[in-house]
Amino acid sequence: MINLISDTVTKPTPAMLAAMMGAAVGDDVFSADPTVNELEAYVAALFGMEAALFCPSGTMTNQIAIKCHTQPLDELICDQTSHVYQYETGGFAFHSGVSINLLEGVNGKITASQVLAAIKPDFDWLPVSRLVVLENTCNKGGGSIYRLEEVLLIRKLCTEKGLALHLDGARLFNALVETGESPADWGQVFDTISICLSKGLGAPVGSLLVGPAELIKRARRLRKVMGGGMRQAGYLAAAGLYALHHHVDRLVEDNARARSIGALLQELPYVAAVRPVQSNIVIFDLAGDLSAANFLAALTALGIYATAFGPQTVRFTFHLEITPTMVEQLASELVKLKFDRH
Ligand SMILES: *Cc1c(COP(=O)(O)O)cnc(C)c1O
């Protein structure tokens, strides 16, 4: 079985499991779990920020960040493909009572001039533009990567206009291994950053919100009211520490495998277009009248699993359980596939 559905499907490796089983734990609601405390201190230091908060999911870290930065009747500005808009159950409205100003970026990426044009004037019939959310890599944008120069322009604008800037960095490390930039470089740019341990890094559960100490103190209260206060969470934090120590550098392998399959897909008759492959995600459109459902059914028959990202759009995601042998097998099956009409 070759499971390209998501980089969330990975199970802990034996070494990660051993680290989890050996973790020192305590009750983290009382801040008494030494492994959670170690993980939070480690990640805060990594980003050069004051504090971090371990949460069950990236949805929770993003939603807490939105709540910390806004009040009801504010709005957040983001690309239309953003996870915070597409895949978080409309939580920005539910938890924070804010509206959303969606921009049409390129492959999920927006620019400072787009943000500038989107900021609303101060009229009492308009919501108050308060927060910009960027995503790196951009999931629905095909795993595209922002460069530091690009986000620095947005930072400068947000500072001038008094807007907060949050990064949904669910797959930030997939970007950093490509660009050579450091987490601390990115920590200087954003007010808050969310990272996921349960994507390419291979931990079973967990995300962190990083930011200023005072904001993280409030975030901790919001985590509790959302039901995210966990007790002996050190077993999970140990997986995260293991992932950060051992699974960051190897992300270049996932990115390279995605690139090679992306290049192959470009040559195949049943593929109309492949988004530029910059990290571990490959999103492509099928040609003619070939539907994603029919294409995925053909793959499933071969033991290959992927995701539909539209009626004729498919996503492959590469991760640490996809071996070089599986990539070779995938390539040879893709080349052999034939469809009646396209
Ligand atoms: C996965 C993901 C998240 C968080 O998802 P959870 O499943 O809630 O952990 C946030 N942003 C992006 C871009 C993601 O891909």
Side-chain angles (χ1 to χ4, degrees), residues 57-59 62 83 88 135 139 168 170-171 196 199:
S57 72
T59 297
N62 280 335
H83 196 279
E88 299 186 8
E135 191 173 305
N139 173 19
D168 176 353
R171 296 188 181 82
C196 287
K199 299 279 166 76

Side-chain angles (χ1 to χ4, degrees), residues 6-8 56-62 81-84 87-88 135-140 168-171 194 196-199 206-207 281 315:
S6 175
D7 45 10
T8 57
S57 72
T59 297
M60 189 181 284
T61 47
N62 280 335
T81 64
S82 298
H83 196 279
V84 292
Y87 303 120
E88 299 186 8
E135 191 173 305
N136 196 26
T137 65
C138 307
N139 173 19
K140 209 170 167 26
D168 176 353
R171 296 188 181 82
S194 160
C196 287
L197 305 169
S198 57
K199 299 279 166 76
S207 293
I281 290 173
R315 184 185 76 169

Side-chain angles (χ1 to χ4, degrees), residues 9 47 95-96 155 176 190 203 210 214 232 234 271 335 341:
V9 302
F47 283 88
H95 296 296
S96 301
R155 167 75 270 172
L176 298 184
F190 290 86
V210 205
E214 225 170 284
Q232 285 74 43
V271 174
V335 169
R341 286 176 304 148

